[in-house]
Amino acid sequence: MLNLGVLISGTGSNLKAVLDAVAEKRLDARVNVVISNVATAPGLEHARAHGVPTLVIDHKAFPNRAAFDGALVESLRAHEVDWVVLAGFMRVITPVLLEAFPLRIVNIHPSLLPAFPGMHAQKQAFDYGVRIAGCTVHLVDAGTDTGPILAQAAVPVLDTDDEPALRTRILAEEHTLLPRVLQWIAEGRVTVVPAEQGGRARVSVTRGEV
Ligand code: GAR
C-alpha cells in the first residue's frame, strides 16, 4: 500500500480521480494528506469529501522556494507520506523537496513530453497545430517536466477543436492514466534504472494492462 501525499493548486480533478480509484479499490493506496498552496483551491473539497486531511501552505508566506519546500517536506513527513503526487501543482520545486523524496515524486503533465513542457501545455500544443496531443506521467527530477517518463496517453486533435475542447479530451485521459500508473507503482512494477554517465535515468515498467 502506498502512502500518498498529493499537492494541488486548483481544481483537483486529478486528485479526485486518485481518491475515487482508492475508494473503488482500483488503487492500493491511502491519501494521507492533500496540500494546496492556494487557500481557495476547489480541489480541497474533494479531499474533505473523502475524509482526507487537508493543509494550506501558502508559498507567498515564505521568503524563497526552498523555505516553502521545507515546510512541504515537514508536513509530508508528519503525515508519513512515502510517495508525493503533483496533481496540478503549479509551483517549481527545489532540491529540498526532491532530495527528501528522491525519485518518489510523480507528476502529471498535459502534453506528450518532451514536447510542450512548462505552463499552458495544451495551448502550446493547440497553437503549434499538432495532430496528436496527450498527457504524460513522469517522475520528477531537477528540470522542468524532464524526469523519467512512466507512461503516456495520446489523443487526436480534431479540426473542429478549440483549445478548451482539446484540454477536456486530454484531461479525461489524465484521469485514467494517473491512478493506473500509481497502481503500477503500488504493485512494484516500476523500476528506476539509474543514469549512466551523461545519460538519463530510465524507467522500466513491467506491464500488465496498458
Ligand atoms: C491538469 O491538466 C494537469 O495535467 C496540469 O494542470 C491541470 C490540473 O487540473 N498540470 C500542469 O500543467 C503541470 N505543469 P486538475 O487540478 O483538475 O487536476
Short mmCIF file of all heavy atoms in Angstrom, two decimals, residues 8-16 43 86-90 107-111 117-122 135-136 144-145 167 170-171 174-175, ligand 1:
data_model
loop_
_atom_site.label_atom_id
_atom_site.label_comp_id
_atom_site.label_asym_id
_atom_site.label_seq_id
_atom_site.Cartn_x
_atom_site.Cartn_y
_atom_site.Cartn_z
N ILE A 8 -1.69 20.09 -4.70
CA ILE A 8 -2.56 20.69 -5.71
C ILE A 8 -2.45 22.22 -5.64
O ILE A 8 -1.96 22.77 -4.64
CB ILE A 8 -4.04 20.28 -5.54
CG1 ILE A 8 -4.61 20.82 -4.21
CG2 ILE A 8 -4.20 18.76 -5.61
CD1 ILE A 8 -6.13 20.70 -4.10
N SER A 9 -2.97 22.84 -6.70
CA SER A 9 -3.08 24.31 -6.68
C SER A 9 -4.46 24.79 -7.11
O SER A 9 -4.74 25.99 -7.00
CB SER A 9 -2.05 24.94 -7.63
OG SER A 9 -0.74 24.64 -7.26
N GLY A 10 -5.29 23.88 -7.65
CA GLY A 10 -6.52 24.39 -8.26
C GLY A 10 -7.68 23.41 -8.19
O GLY A 10 -8.06 22.94 -7.10
N THR A 11 -8.22 23.07 -9.36
CA THR A 11 -9.48 22.32 -9.46
C THR A 11 -9.42 20.95 -8.80
O THR A 11 -10.40 20.48 -8.21
CB THR A 11 -9.85 22.14 -10.94
OG1 THR A 11 -9.71 23.41 -11.58
CG2 THR A 11 -11.25 21.63 -11.11
N GLY A 12 -8.29 20.28 -8.96
CA GLY A 12 -8.12 19.00 -8.29
C GLY A 12 -8.89 17.85 -8.91
O GLY A 12 -9.19 16.86 -8.23
N SER A 13 -9.14 17.91 -10.21
CA SER A 13 -9.85 16.78 -10.82
C SER A 13 -8.96 15.54 -10.87
O SER A 13 -9.47 14.41 -10.76
CB SER A 13 -10.38 17.14 -12.21
OG SER A 13 -9.33 17.34 -13.12
N ASN A 14 -7.67 15.71 -11.01
CA ASN A 14 -6.77 14.54 -10.94
C ASN A 14 -6.71 13.99 -9.53
O ASN A 14 -6.64 12.77 -9.34
CB ASN A 14 -5.37 14.91 -11.45
CG ASN A 14 -5.29 14.88 -12.96
OD1 ASN A 14 -5.37 13.81 -13.57
ND2 ASN A 14 -5.17 16.04 -13.56
N LEU A 15 -6.72 14.86 -8.54
CA LEU A 15 -6.82 14.40 -7.16
C LEU A 15 -8.09 13.56 -6.98
O LEU A 15 -8.06 12.48 -6.38
CB LEU A 15 -6.84 15.60 -6.20
CG LEU A 15 -7.32 15.30 -4.78
CD1 LEU A 15 -6.34 14.38 -4.06
CD2 LEU A 15 -7.53 16.60 -4.00
N LYS A 16 -9.20 14.06 -7.51
CA LYS A 16 -10.47 13.32 -7.40
C LYS A 16 -10.35 11.94 -8.06
O LYS A 16 -10.84 10.94 -7.52
CB LYS A 16 -11.61 14.12 -8.04
CG LYS A 16 -12.95 13.42 -7.95
CD LYS A 16 -14.08 14.27 -8.50
CE LYS A 16 -15.45 13.62 -8.30
NZ LYS A 16 -15.57 12.27 -8.83
N GLY A 43 -10.12 22.00 -5.30
CA GLY A 43 -9.74 20.60 -5.09
C GLY A 43 -9.73 20.19 -3.64
O GLY A 43 -9.90 19.01 -3.32
N LEU A 86 2.18 15.22 -7.68
CA LEU A 86 1.89 16.59 -8.08
C LEU A 86 0.71 16.52 -9.04
O LEU A 86 0.83 16.03 -10.16
CB LEU A 86 3.10 17.23 -8.77
CG LEU A 86 4.45 17.13 -8.02
CD1 LEU A 86 5.53 17.90 -8.79
CD2 LEU A 86 4.34 17.64 -6.60
N ALA A 87 -0.45 16.97 -8.58
CA ALA A 87 -1.68 16.86 -9.36
C ALA A 87 -2.20 18.27 -9.64
O ALA A 87 -3.07 18.78 -8.93
CB ALA A 87 -2.72 16.02 -8.61
N GLY A 88 -1.61 18.89 -10.66
CA GLY A 88 -1.96 20.28 -10.93
C GLY A 88 -1.36 21.20 -9.88
O GLY A 88 -1.99 22.16 -9.45
N PHE A 89 -0.13 20.90 -9.50
CA PHE A 89 0.59 21.73 -8.52
C PHE A 89 1.48 22.68 -9.31
O PHE A 89 2.42 22.24 -9.98
CB PHE A 89 1.42 20.85 -7.59
CG PHE A 89 2.15 21.59 -6.50
CD1 PHE A 89 1.44 22.28 -5.53
CD2 PHE A 89 3.54 21.59 -6.45
CE1 PHE A 89 2.11 22.96 -4.52
CE2 PHE A 89 4.21 22.26 -5.44
CZ PHE A 89 3.50 22.95 -4.47
N MET A 90 1.15 23.96 -9.27
CA MET A 90 1.74 24.91 -10.21
C MET A 90 2.92 25.67 -9.60
O MET A 90 3.02 26.89 -9.75
CB MET A 90 0.66 25.89 -10.69
CG MET A 90 -0.46 25.20 -11.44
SD MET A 90 0.17 24.23 -12.84
CE MET A 90 -1.37 23.70 -13.59
N ASN A 107 4.55 13.32 -11.32
CA ASN A 107 3.85 14.49 -11.86
C ASN A 107 2.99 14.07 -13.05
O ASN A 107 3.37 13.18 -13.80
CB ASN A 107 4.87 15.54 -12.33
CG ASN A 107 4.22 16.82 -12.83
OD1 ASN A 107 3.27 17.32 -12.24
ND2 ASN A 107 4.70 17.35 -13.94
N ILE A 108 1.84 14.71 -13.18
CA ILE A 108 1.02 14.54 -14.39
C ILE A 108 1.12 15.84 -15.17
O ILE A 108 0.93 16.93 -14.62
CB ILE A 108 -0.44 14.18 -14.04
CG1 ILE A 108 -1.33 14.13 -15.29
CG2 ILE A 108 -1.09 15.10 -13.02
CD1 ILE A 108 -1.44 12.81 -15.93
N HIS A 109 1.44 15.69 -16.46
CA HIS A 109 1.63 16.87 -17.31
C HIS A 109 0.78 16.72 -18.57
O HIS A 109 0.78 15.65 -19.19
CB HIS A 109 3.12 17.02 -17.68
CG HIS A 109 3.38 18.24 -18.50
ND1 HIS A 109 3.43 19.51 -17.93
CD2 HIS A 109 3.55 18.41 -19.82
CE1 HIS A 109 3.63 20.40 -18.89
NE2 HIS A 109 3.72 19.76 -20.04
N PRO A 110 0.09 17.80 -18.97
CA PRO A 110 -0.87 17.67 -20.08
C PRO A 110 -0.26 17.86 -21.47
O PRO A 110 -0.77 18.62 -22.28
CB PRO A 110 -1.88 18.77 -19.76
CG PRO A 110 -1.07 19.83 -19.10
CD PRO A 110 -0.01 19.10 -18.30
N SER A 111 0.83 17.14 -21.73
CA SER A 111 1.37 17.07 -23.10
C SER A 111 2.14 15.78 -23.24
O SER A 111 2.43 15.11 -22.24
CB SER A 111 2.30 18.25 -23.42
OG SER A 111 3.58 18.04 -22.85
N PRO A 117 6.76 21.35 -22.57
CA PRO A 117 6.89 21.42 -21.10
C PRO A 117 6.42 22.77 -20.58
O PRO A 117 6.14 23.69 -21.36
CB PRO A 117 8.41 21.25 -20.89
CG PRO A 117 9.02 21.82 -22.14
CD PRO A 117 8.04 21.51 -23.26
N GLY A 118 6.34 22.88 -19.27
CA GLY A 118 6.04 24.16 -18.65
C GLY A 118 4.55 24.47 -18.62
O GLY A 118 3.71 23.58 -18.66
N MET A 119 4.27 25.75 -18.55
CA MET A 119 2.89 26.20 -18.37
C MET A 119 2.09 26.12 -19.67
O MET A 119 2.65 26.19 -20.75
CB MET A 119 2.88 27.66 -17.90
CG MET A 119 3.54 27.90 -16.55
SD MET A 119 2.59 27.19 -15.20
CE MET A 119 1.33 28.44 -15.03
N HIS A 120 0.77 25.99 -19.54
CA HIS A 120 -0.16 26.09 -20.67
C HIS A 120 0.19 25.11 -21.79
O HIS A 120 0.21 25.47 -22.97
CB HIS A 120 -0.22 27.53 -21.20
CG HIS A 120 -0.42 28.55 -20.12
ND1 HIS A 120 -1.54 28.56 -19.29
CD2 HIS A 120 0.36 29.57 -19.69
CE1 HIS A 120 -1.43 29.55 -18.42
NE2 HIS A 120 -0.30 30.17 -18.65
N ALA A 121 0.49 23.89 -21.40
CA ALA A 121 0.95 22.90 -22.38
C ALA A 121 -0.11 22.63 -23.45
O ALA A 121 0.22 22.47 -24.63
CB ALA A 121 1.30 21.60 -21.65
N GLN A 122 -1.38 22.59 -23.04
CA GLN A 122 -2.42 22.30 -24.03
C GLN A 122 -2.52 23.42 -25.06
O GLN A 122 -2.71 23.18 -26.25
CB GLN A 122 -3.78 22.12 -23.34
CG GLN A 122 -3.80 21.13 -22.19
CD GLN A 122 -3.59 21.81 -20.84
OE1 GLN A 122 -2.87 22.80 -20.71
NE2 GLN A 122 -4.23 21.25 -19.82
N CYS A 135 -1.01 13.28 -22.68
CA CYS A 135 -0.52 13.57 -21.34
C CYS A 135 0.56 12.58 -20.96
O CYS A 135 0.68 11.51 -21.56
CB CYS A 135 -1.67 13.53 -20.33
SG CYS A 135 -2.61 11.99 -20.32
N THR A 136 1.33 12.98 -19.95
CA THR A 136 2.49 12.19 -19.51
C THR A 136 2.48 12.10 -17.99
O THR A 136 2.28 13.12 -17.32
CB THR A 136 3.80 12.88 -19.94
OG1 THR A 136 3.80 13.03 -21.37
CG2 THR A 136 5.02 12.09 -19.50
N THR A 144 12.46 21.08 -15.52
CA THR A 144 11.03 21.33 -15.67
C THR A 144 10.44 20.28 -16.60
O THR A 144 10.70 20.29 -17.80
CB THR A 144 10.79 22.74 -16.24
OG1 THR A 144 11.37 23.69 -15.33
CG2 THR A 144 9.30 23.03 -16.39
N ASP A 145 9.68 19.35 -16.04
CA ASP A 145 9.00 18.30 -16.81
C ASP A 145 9.98 17.42 -17.59
O ASP A 145 9.67 16.96 -18.70
CB ASP A 145 7.95 18.92 -17.74
CG ASP A 145 6.92 19.74 -16.97
OD1 ASP A 145 6.53 19.31 -15.87
OD2 ASP A 145 6.51 20.81 -17.46
N ARG A 167 -8.25 20.54 -24.33
CA ARG A 167 -7.90 20.44 -22.89
C ARG A 167 -8.78 19.39 -22.21
O ARG A 167 -8.30 18.55 -21.43
CB ARG A 167 -8.12 21.81 -22.26
CG ARG A 167 -7.96 21.87 -20.76
CD ARG A 167 -8.41 23.25 -20.27
NE ARG A 167 -7.60 24.29 -20.88
CZ ARG A 167 -6.46 24.74 -20.37
NH1 ARG A 167 -6.03 24.27 -19.21
NH2 ARG A 167 -5.77 25.66 -20.98
N ILE A 170 -7.80 15.82 -23.26
CA ILE A 170 -6.56 15.41 -22.58
C ILE A 170 -6.84 15.08 -21.12
O ILE A 170 -6.38 14.06 -20.58
CB ILE A 170 -5.47 16.51 -22.70
CG1 ILE A 170 -5.05 16.69 -24.15
CG2 ILE A 170 -4.27 16.17 -21.82
CD1 ILE A 170 -4.16 17.92 -24.39
N LEU A 171 -7.62 15.94 -20.48
CA LEU A 171 -7.88 15.77 -19.04
C LEU A 171 -8.56 14.43 -18.75
O LEU A 171 -8.25 13.76 -17.75
CB LEU A 171 -8.73 16.94 -18.52
CG LEU A 171 -8.82 17.12 -17.01
CD1 LEU A 171 -7.45 17.31 -16.37
CD2 LEU A 171 -9.72 18.31 -16.68
N GLU A 174 -5.95 11.96 -18.56
CA GLU A 174 -5.17 12.12 -17.33
C GLU A 174 -5.82 11.35 -16.19
O GLU A 174 -5.14 10.70 -15.39
CB GLU A 174 -5.05 13.60 -16.95
CG GLU A 174 -4.27 14.45 -17.93
CD GLU A 174 -4.15 15.90 -17.47
OE1 GLU A 174 -3.98 16.14 -16.27
OE2 GLU A 174 -4.25 16.79 -18.33
N HIS A 175 -7.15 11.45 -16.13
CA HIS A 175 -7.88 10.84 -15.01
C HIS A 175 -7.77 9.32 -15.01
O HIS A 175 -7.93 8.68 -13.97
CB HIS A 175 -9.35 11.26 -15.05
CG HIS A 175 -9.54 12.73 -14.86
ND1 HIS A 175 -10.69 13.39 -15.21
CD2 HIS A 175 -8.70 13.68 -14.37
CE1 HIS A 175 -10.56 14.67 -14.93
NE2 HIS A 175 -9.36 14.87 -14.43
C1 GAR B 1 -4.02 19.17 -15.35
O1 GAR B 1 -4.29 19.25 -16.72
C2 GAR B 1 -2.54 18.86 -15.13
O2 GAR B 1 -2.01 17.99 -16.08
C3 GAR B 1 -1.94 20.22 -15.29
O3 GAR B 1 -2.84 21.08 -14.61
C4 GAR B 1 -4.15 20.53 -14.69
C5 GAR B 1 -4.68 20.42 -13.29
O4 GAR B 1 -6.02 20.03 -13.32
N1 GAR B 1 -0.63 20.29 -14.75
C6 GAR B 1 0.33 21.06 -15.27
O5 GAR B 1 0.15 21.78 -16.23
C7 GAR B 1 1.65 20.97 -14.55
N2 GAR B 1 2.69 21.56 -15.33
P1 GAR B 1 -6.71 19.47 -12.01
O6 GAR B 1 -6.42 20.48 -10.90
O7 GAR B 1 -8.17 19.45 -12.36
O8 GAR B 1 -6.13 18.11 -11.70
#
